[in-house]
Amino acid sequence: MLLALGSAVAGAALAGPGSGVGQASSHREAPLIAADPQVDNTDLYAFTSPDKGKSDTVTLTANWIPFQEPNGGPNFYPFAEDAHYDINIDSQGTGKPDLTYRWTFRNEDRRGEKTFLYNNGVVNNLNDKTLLFRQHYSLQEIRAGKKPVTLVADGIATPSNVGKASMPNYGRLRNQATQKLPGGGQTVATQAADPFFLDLRVFDLLYGGDLSETGHNTLNGYNVNTLSIQVPKSKLAFKGNAKRNPVIGVWSSTERRTMQLSPGKQTPTGKYVQVSRLGNPLVNEAVVPAGLKNAFNALPPSEDHNQPKVVAKVLDPELPKLIQGIYGIPAPATPRKDLQEIFLTGIAKAANGPLAVDLNSQLMNLDINKKRFVPAEELRLNMSTPVTANPDRLGVLNGDFQGFPNGRRMGDDVIDIAIQALEGATPGHLIQALAAGDGVNGPGVPFGTTFPYVALPYTGSVNQAG
């Protein structure tokens, strides 16, 4: 069973880096969203909070605006004012959100015609007059069939990290920006070091055609914008009962209004339209072909099973064939029902797929109406899986069932898992010729041990990050 599950993970993860320069996980994965980085979802994480006293909570973290060079001033990297930044939770398996956490932003720009500077002195506190550009946000809890509830009416986002001279204690600013939530939990909008790690030379004939091009963390030095929320499991579970209904499906999405342009001005008009979406890592960028990527970004998960061209690419993915052509390693037989279970149904005996084990499908929830269940691409998390005391970056391959695809932790090394599992590795029995993987086993800077776990943003130029 571990081998089968590991193979499924491989199909998902090795598909990850994408099909074009400058893509990693879901960074710039589709033609339209690549031109609009302010609303480009990059990565999504969902995991039971691992620190002491937090095991009854789940942390959901979504990132936007990829490949931020730390010195990219003077305007740096604000969230868009005309967008909805959403993290969605499906607790019934319908592909529709039972709960959405929605952030919307507004700018406080006091520079006017006086200066071009982001700050005109040292910034020690979020309310310092030396910080000339601030972003305020509201956070709403939106439940199906109910009026939205405002959890944060006027939060302040941590600013972009201008540098050590301007912001000598960025951690203090982040702590000030972290908001307690009514009913328990906390949230923060902040810049962070990009937590995803891999060697992107995968594009050069899969690491040079002979695995000679490995060992360089391409994302080292780059930042992203992070929205993170930590809430009690009862907030997320169907009927508020995480014991009877422990499995949730999660995806992030972004909605934006049409922009009307005039000389020196842009005006948002019309309705909000979904322009970006992310559930499982590594789907849209490599499983979905280029001609379908924009459409996939606009779809709700509830419609995935009605898209035969997308489903066909899940059942018969491109990447294993590329590996076979370059390395001579036979691709697994198709159709890939294991990938269908990973991406569209979750893994459960009731899913009637090849991975006959109860892991992370909403079909495991005792109180749902199973007739309403539909296959939908979501990152599924079984909140009842105990926190691993010593997480293993290879997850299932080393017997750690808390990692991806059962949610996603920041330290899950999806590339190395993929390289091994796709070639038939079993727990404790790695393929030694590929044991080094891409040579990148963790992020450029360590993750934090408390909320929001993402590392503080880089401040040096990317070409000096190593």
Side-chain angles (χ1 to χ4, degrees), residues 110-116:
R110 298 187 293 111
R111 293 173 294 182
E113 298 179 359
K114 298 178 181 179
T115 182
F116 61 85

Side-chain angles (χ1 to χ4, degrees), residues 342-426:
I342 280 284
F343 292 141
L344 298 177
T345 66
I347 300 169
K349 296 176 182 177
N352 295 318
L355 309 176
V357 63
D358 285 334
L359 182 70
N360 68 338
S361 173
Q362 291 102 326
L363 288 168
M364 297 165 54
N365 291 343
L366 298 179
D367 296 327
I368 72 164
N369 181 351
K370 292 180 173 56
K371 293 181 180 180
R372 298 184 61 204
F373 182 90
V374 298
E377 198 280 296
E378 302 171 351
L379 178 64
R380 289 176 168 85
L381 171 67
N382 185 339
M383 297 184 291
S384 69
T385 305
V387 171
T388 305
N390 297 297
D392 195 293
R393 66 181 181 87
L394 295 182
V396 170
L397 285 177
N398 278 344
D400 181 356
F401 278 89
Q402 200 210 357
F404 177 76
N406 186 12
R408 183 185 177 189
R409 302 170 301 192
M410 292 179 186
D412 288 340
D413 192 342
V414 292
I415 297 300
D416 281 10
I417 292 171
I419 291 172
Q420 285 293 319
L422 189 62
E423 304 312 319
T426 58

